[in-house]
Amino acid sequence: MWGITLEPNSAVSLARQIFLGFQERIITGQLQAGEPLPSTRALCKELGVSRNTVCEAYDMLLTEGFLISRQGAPTRVAQGLTIRRVEQKNLPAQATPDHPPVAWDFRTGQPDLSLFPWQQWSHALRSAADTLSVQELGYRSPKGYAPLCAELADWLLRRRGMAVDPADVFITAGATQALHLLVDLLRRDGRAFAIETPSHPGIHTMLLDKGYPIHPMPVDGQGADSSSLEGTTISAAYVTPSHQFPLGGILPASRRAELLRLAKEGGFLIMEDDYDSEFRYAGAPVSPIYCMDPSHVAYVGTFSKTLFPALRLGFVVLPKAFHNQFLHLRTYLDVQSPILEQAALAEFLRTRKMDRHVQHMRRAYGERRDVLLRSIERAFGPSARCWGDASGLHVALQVAGMEFGEAFITASRNAGIRVNPLWKYCGLEYGHRDKLLLGYAHLTPDQIEPGVAALRRVIEECAT
Amino acid sequence: MWGITLEPNSAVSLARQIFLGFQERIITGQLQAGEPLPSTRALCKELGVSRNTVCEAYDMLLTEGFLISRQGAPTRVAQGLTIRRVEQKNLPAQATPDHPPVAWDFRTGQPDLSLFPWQQWSHALRSAADTLSVQELGYRSPKGYAPLCAELADWLLRRRGMAVDPADVFITAGATQALHLLVDLLRRDGRAFAIETPSHPGIHTMLLDKGYPIHPMPVDGQGADSSSLEGTTISAAYVTPSHQFPLGGILPASRRAELLRLAKEGGFLIMEDDYDSEFRYAGAPVSPIYCMDPSHVAYVGTFSKTLFPALRLGFVVLPKAFHNQFLHLRTYLDVQSPILEQAALAEFLRTRKMDRHVQHMRRAYGERRDVLLRSIERAFGPSARCWGDASGLHVALQVAGMEFGEAFITASRNAGIRVNPLWKYCGLEYGHRDKLLLGYAHLTPDQIEPGVAALRRVIEECAT
């Protein structure tokens, strides 16, 4: 009776099961307004539970106003509780076309996580957990854990030659969040953001989503060409000067100085994204624009490539005039980054384990890069040229006379190859139809050579 | 000569020190375009370093385009590199008025972190670290760690009587981020967000910052009054029905049904924030609106109060029609939450340590609540009334005939009491001038009684 069935072994208490049973019947209209409920005495007998249990359930129903009780009268169902429920529709499952499994995965931006020194990182976590005070578990500054800001300033000095005041360092949930906060911070009504084209799809999509206008800067083998900014007023300019994504150019000092001059005259900041410059294999290290003049640069870095992506730690170095507004935005976005990882990273930097890890990975990735370049040379000979091979985790492969259009995409997928044509990062109107992006850092040397050979076979098929 | 001084014990390599020295001189114009640099042979003698070191520095300068070298000619400074630097001004330090230290801190929303079972949490972290696969360290789903979504669905069933599909659970960086994502997700051009007034200042500030219009819903002792929504079109309605913040009312079932009817007719979602309902001390547990009809509710929860704020983990349970757009927004906001804490929380829930911890804290906070209510009774007698004392971490104290204006704020500060008048959460035009918010969960019983007595003295002073 009452259609209530109890499950004695459920994690839900018996009283709550009774509550839920009546609630359901009231909402669906099976129990109408004004209808009396059975007495607690009757119901407890019927359901075979204690009277306390039934009283508890009735109390819940009274507290939430599903029932009304008046002195002397039986407890009745309250008014106006019937709800017409709408069945939730499952979204149609996305049709997943029938592809063979991926045998050669040339995705970009993937560090080799199998080489991550998890033992050492665990040690840093434990050591951080032992060090943190109770106060640090509460709401703290949205700026970031102070010892981490200090260690990061040291790291930037020894690795990138940057003289950074720890007060200017703000910890973020990766570079993505840093950029998200920066575009909100720097937006000026009606003024576009200048971004490299092609560039990482993240910044482009973020600006489109927010409805902020975009001013595309063309990119050549040396990086962004900012000459079109002369005389325009923009919100900010986004560049990757140490290793342009995706073409790999290093922005020459004269173009950097030019961009800085434009930033000063136009009163805008340069958003400098230094996403993978830790991994440099050939030539001298490249220093950030920040070193030339920190007053007009917001320098963004990440630990997704050097440590691991699911860590979600990055940072921005920011001129002082923007500090307060940045803190405000972060507070109302997500308050702060989790404290434990921040403390662990501070420890990892302090003990120089970070330096040794990056050194180790640079060697490993450098070997893979050499294997890739040799494999490309062997497979394609002089018809291929690699862009941006001096650093990072990927190269752009240009094959003379090729067009990597939809036919190629289908053919490569059918051959079990995961690879992106470069025009996917800028749209067809910007050219670069003859280039592919090859991420290699996550591939072992003995995966790279057959992968490139498989790629060559697909390219040959498509060319004929 | 050349003004370059080297520090042999620096973390910066000698080559980079030489590079930075020349870079500085070129940027500031001390070295002009076209000027020849000394030969590597001459410079290495002069600085007392190896020739390799100097060659490395020159390579860096060449790579970055600070120098140009032509066959046979000496290396010279490139064109157009002089930058006029602007001195960064420090912001004027905010004037901090000369207050006595805070002796009685009645801030709201502060759990007692000294009772947090850090040992058990560390154990969960270690166990999570041992369990996670290498793949989990990479970029994963913005939805959240699947085992955590499943454990959370179980938790919501046993604690809140909610029947939740784990596919509908999305992990976020606390409730703040969940709300931030939701308002972007649910915004319809020109349509306001209905929010309780007074409410938590977070949601109000967030909407103001984004320029989204606000429709204020008045609040009484039972919670939000949504009658003004009849016939309007809004983007969404934000409510705290289980324990209204800050007034503490429990929204009766009839008003819940009314709000659901409006949501269906108006085609909007209810953003249900269940921020502290784990801690209920009197009366029956209150179940979320979600239980009445999940199809029009986005249910938001947090672990900031039950575990600790700097953990930054919360979640939203979302109808399926909104899943894809939510994933898109999260991807371009900060990709995902850190994996380790997610795995640790899954473990903490799975082993029921979470249940025991919440039970333990509920007892501790319940004792403090009793002490607070008794202290208020003793100090104020019948002139005081407490709102929302059945659950949560704070009460609203109403003192008949009082006005907690600026004079009171100054007097309480001078008496070493940190306490907020309720009108600070809604503005003076909404009344509530006779109420204060008292957070008590973070205070030990022997702090509460003298704190309330001190508060009474200040109130008496201000009343006369």
Side-chain angles (χ1 to χ4, degrees):
Chain A
M1 216 171 106
W2 300 102
I4 291 170
T5 44
L6 299 178
E7 286 195 35
N9 299 323
S10 164
V12 182
S13 74
L14 291 173
R16 188 170 273 282
Q17 289 184 49
I18 297 170
F19 165 84
L20 290 172
F22 278 113
Q23 188 198 45
E24 179 70 17
R25 269 143 207 83
I26 294 170
I27 288 174
T28 55
Q30 294 170 266
L31 277 171
Q32 296 281 334
E35 231 173 285
L37 252 63
S39 72
T40 53
R41 193 185 305 264
L43 192 64
C44 73
K45 273 200 193 136
E46 191 179 307
L47 295 176
V49 298
S50 80
R51 191 152 168 211
N52 274 348
T53 302
V54 172
C55 287
E56 199 186 327
Y58 276 31
D59 276 351
M60 290 187 212
L61 290 161
L62 281 161
T63 305
E64 298 192 27
F66 285 100
L67 303 180
I68 42 173
S69 104
R70 230 168 292 152
Q71 204 70 41
T75 304
R76 291 170 187 280
V77 174
Q79 299 286 337
L81 295 174
T82 316
I83 293 169
R84 194 173 45 82
R85 285 225 184 102
V86 184
E87 271 304 298
Q88 282 199 61
K89 281 190 234 45
N90 279 303
L91 294 179
Q94 287 191 335
T96 36
D98 207 15
H99 293 143
V102 175
W104 324 110
D105 185 351
F106 288 108
R107 257 182 311 167
T108 56
Q110 309 293 321
D112 187 340
L113 300 171
S114 69
L115 297 180
F116 183 72
W118 188 250
Q119 286 296 331
Q120 288 181 26
W121 182 252
S122 293
H123 192 269
L125 281 166
R126 271 201 300 283
S127 155
D130 293 344
T131 316
L132 282 173
S133 69
V134 164
Q135 283 74 33
E136 297 291 352
L137 305 183
Y139 292 106
R140 304 297 281 181
S141 164
K143 182 178 180 298
Y145 183 56
L148 175 57
C149 295
E151 287 296 340
L152 250 171
D154 276 2
W155 163 259
L156 289 172
L157 179 66
R158 58 180 194 273
R159 301 291 304 187
R160 313 287 292 129
M162 294 165 64
V164 171
D165 179 354
D168 294 344
V169 178
F170 293 75
I171 307 301
T172 61
T176 305
Q177 193 193 47
L179 295 174
H180 183 98
L181 287 161
L182 280 177
V183 298
D184 281 351
L185 177 72
L186 301 176
R187 181 180 67 105
R188 302 286 171 270
D189 262 341
R191 298 194 184 182
F193 282 85
I195 64 172
E196 296 168 341
T197 308
S199 68
H200 194 281
I203 183 82
H204 191 254
T205 308
M206 194 183 281
L207 293 170
L208 283 183
D209 280 355
K210 288 172 180 281
Y212 300 167
I214 289 171
H215 175 117
M217 288 185 289
V219 174
D220 59 26
Q222 295 193 302
D225 172 3
S226 56
S227 57
S228 67
L229 298 181
E230 189 79 62
T232 64
T233 50
I234 59 169
S235 289
Y238 170 82
V239 288
T240 50
S242 300
H243 186 229
Q244 202 276 331
F245 189 91
L247 279 171
I250 299 169
L251 203 64
S254 57
R255 284 208 203 167
R256 292 168 186 237
E258 179 66 7
L259 187 57
L260 271 170
R261 180 184 65 77
L262 289 165
K264 276 169 212 197
E265 290 175 9
F268 64 82
L269 279 200
I270 298 164
M271 296 160 63
E272 175 172 28
D273 187 350
D274 207 14
Y275 64 103
D276 73 356
S277 52
E278 281 306 331
F279 301 115
R280 186 154 176 86
Y281 317 112
V286 179
S287 49
I289 299 186
Y290 182 91
C291 294
M292 291 175 81
D293 187 349
S295 71
H296 280 76
V297 175
Y299 176 89
V300 174
T302 178
F303 292 95
S304 294
K305 315 299 178 213
T306 43
L307 296 173
F308 58 97
L311 174 65
R312 307 316 304 139
L313 281 178
F315 62 93
V316 55
V317 184
L318 201 62
K320 301 209 189 305
F322 297 90
H323 286 192
N324 286 346
Q325 183 59 14
F326 191 90
L327 290 177
H328 175 91
L329 289 173
R330 180 77 201 264
T331 302
Y332 291 98
L333 176 63
D334 64 354
V335 188
Q336 62 170 78
S337 288
I339 194 69
L340 183 67
E341 270 100 347
Q342 290 191 71
L345 178 54
E347 175 72 8
F348 210 64
L349 286 163
R350 190 183 66 76
T351 54
R352 300 288 191 274
K353 281 180 187 143
M354 182 72 183
D355 303 56
R356 285 192 289 277
H357 170 58
V358 166
Q359 206 61 25
H360 177 67
M361 295 312 290
R362 204 189 58 75
R363 267 200 303 276
Y365 295 158
E367 276 173 31
R368 292 164 190 202
R369 164 194 173 264
D370 294 345
V371 172
L372 179 76
L373 296 182
R374 275 201 307 273
S375 303
I376 288 173
E377 168 70 27
R378 206 170 303 145
F380 295 96
S383 68
R385 177 190 158 194
C386 284
W387 296 54
D389 58 342
S391 59
L393 312 178
H394 77 277
V395 299
L397 170 67
Q398 178 178 27
V399 183
M402 261 304 283
E403 282 224 354
F404 295 110
E406 295 297 341
F408 167 80
I409 293 172
T410 309
S412 60
R413 206 176 272 148
N414 288 336
I417 302 174
R418 184 167 177 173
V419 66
N420 272 319
L422 199 143
W423 60 262
K424 290 255 171 191
Y425 295 80
C426 55
L428 282 167
E429 66 271 30
Y430 287 92
H432 300 299
R433 286 173 168 241
D434 57 350
K435 300 183 189 71
L436 290 175
L437 286 194
L438 304 182
Y440 57 82
H442 58 298
L443 302 173
T444 56
D446 59 344
Q447 291 171 314
I448 293 172
E449 177 139 19
V452 171
L455 184 65
R456 196 206 52 181
R457 285 192 296 275
V458 173
I459 291 176
E460 273 176 357
E461 273 169 39
C462 292
T464 53
Chain B
M1 216 172 105
W2 302 102
I4 291 170
T5 45
L6 299 179
E7 286 195 36
N9 298 323
S10 163
V12 182
S13 74
L14 290 174
R16 188 170 273 281
Q17 290 184 48
I18 297 170
F19 164 85
L20 290 171
F22 277 113
Q23 188 198 44
E24 179 68 20
R25 269 146 205 82
I26 294 170
I27 288 174
T28 55
Q30 293 168 268
L31 277 173
Q32 296 281 335
E35 232 173 286
L37 253 61
S39 70
T40 53
R41 192 184 305 262
L43 192 65
C44 70
K45 272 200 196 135
E46 190 181 309
L47 294 175
V49 298
S50 79
R51 191 152 169 210
N52 273 348
T53 302
V54 172
C55 288
E56 200 185 327
Y58 277 31
D59 276 351
M60 292 186 208
L61 290 161
L62 281 163
T63 305
E64 297 193 28
F66 285 100
L67 302 181
I68 41 171
S69 104
R70 229 167 293 151
Q71 203 73 42
T75 304
R76 290 169 189 281
V77 175
Q79 299 286 336
L81 295 176
T82 315
I83 292 168
R84 197 171 45 82
R85 285 225 184 105
V86 184
E87 272 304 298
Q88 282 199 62
K89 280 193 237 42
N90 278 303
L91 294 180
Q94 287 191 335
T96 38
D98 207 14
H99 293 142
V102 175
W104 322 109
D105 184 352
F106 288 108
R107 258 180 312 166
T108 56
Q110 309 292 322
D112 187 342
L113 301 171
S114 70
L115 298 179
F116 183 72
W118 188 251
Q119 287 294 330
Q120 288 180 27
W121 182 252
S122 292
H123 191 269
L125 281 167
R126 272 201 299 283
S127 156
D130 293 345
T131 317
L132 283 173
S133 69
V134 164
Q135 283 74 33
E136 297 291 351
L137 305 184
Y139 292 106
R140 304 296 282 180
S141 165
K143 182 177 180 299
Y145 183 56
L148 175 57
C149 295
E151 287 296 342
L152 250 172
D154 276 3
W155 163 258
L156 290 171
L157 180 65
R158 60 180 192 273
R159 302 291 304 186
R160 313 287 292 128
M162 295 165 63
V164 171
D165 180 353
D168 295 344
V169 178
F170 294 75
I171 308 301
T172 61
T176 306
Q177 193 193 47
L179 295 175
H180 183 99
L181 287 161
L182 280 177
V183 298
D184 280 350
L185 177 71
L186 302 175
R187 181 180 67 104
R188 302 285 171 269
D189 263 340
R191 298 193 183 182
F193 283 85
I195 65 171
E196 297 168 339
T197 307
S199 68
H200 194 282
I203 184 82
H204 191 256
T205 307
M206 195 183 280
L207 293 170
L208 282 183
D209 280 355
K210 288 172 179 281
Y212 299 168
I214 290 172
H215 176 116
M217 287 185 289
V219 174
D220 59 26
Q222 296 193 302
D225 172 4
S226 56
S227 57
S228 66
L229 298 182
E230 189 80 62
T232 64
T233 50
I234 58 168
S235 288
Y238 170 83
V239 288
T240 50
S242 299
H243 187 229
Q244 202 275 331
F245 189 91
L247 279 170
I250 299 169
L251 203 64
S254 57
R255 284 208 203 166
R256 291 169 187 238
E258 179 66 9
L259 186 57
L260 272 169
R261 180 185 64 77
L262 288 165
K264 276 168 209 196
E265 289 175 10
F268 65 83
L269 278 201
I270 298 164
M271 294 159 64
E272 175 173 28
D273 187 351
D274 207 14
Y275 65 102
D276 71 358
S277 51
E278 282 305 331
F279 301 114
R280 187 155 174 86
Y281 318 113
V286 179
S287 48
I289 299 185
Y290 182 91
C291 293
M292 292 175 80
D293 188 349
S295 70
H296 280 75
V297 176
Y299 175 90
V300 174
T302 178
F303 292 95
S304 293
K305 315 298 179 213
T306 44
L307 295 173
F308 58 97
L311 175 63
R312 307 315 304 138
L313 280 178
F315 62 93
V316 55
V317 185
L318 201 63
K320 303 211 188 304
F322 297 91
H323 285 192
N324 285 347
Q325 184 58 14
F326 191 91
L327 290 178
H328 175 91
L329 288 174
R330 180 78 201 263
T331 302
Y332 291 98
L333 177 63
D334 63 354
V335 187
Q336 63 171 78
S337 289
I339 194 70
L340 184 67
E341 269 101 348
Q342 291 191 71
L345 178 54
E347 175 72 7
F348 209 63
L349 287 163
R350 190 183 66 77
T351 54
R352 299 288 190 273
K353 281 179 187 144
M354 182 74 185
D355 304 58
R356 286 192 290 276
H357 170 58
V358 166
Q359 206 62 24
H360 177 66
M361 296 311 291
R362 203 188 60 74
R363 266 198 304 275
Y365 295 158
E367 278 173 30
R368 293 165 189 203
R369 166 196 173 262
D370 295 344
V371 172
L372 180 75
L373 296 183
R374 276 200 308 271
S375 303
I376 288 173
E377 169 69 26
R378 206 170 303 146
F380 295 95
S383 68
R385 177 187 160 196
C386 284
W387 296 55
D389 58 342
S391 57
L393 311 179
H394 77 277
V395 299
L397 169 67
Q398 179 179 25
V399 183
M402 260 305 283
E403 281 224 353
F404 296 111
E406 294 297 340
F408 167 79
I409 293 173
T410 309
S412 61
R413 206 176 273 148
N414 288 335
I417 302 175
R418 185 166 175 173
V419 66
N420 272 319
L422 200 144
W423 61 263
K424 290 257 172 189
Y425 295 82
C426 56
L428 282 167
E429 66 272 29
Y430 287 92
H432 299 299
R433 285 172 170 243
D434 57 350
K435 300 183 188 74
L436 289 177
L437 286 194
L438 303 183
Y440 57 83
H442 59 299
L443 301 174
T444 56
D446 58 343
Q447 292 172 314
I448 293 173
E449 178 140 18
V452 171
L455 184 63
R456 195 206 51 179
R457 285 193 296 275
V458 173
I459 291 177
E460 273 177 358
E461 272 169 40
C462 292
T464 52

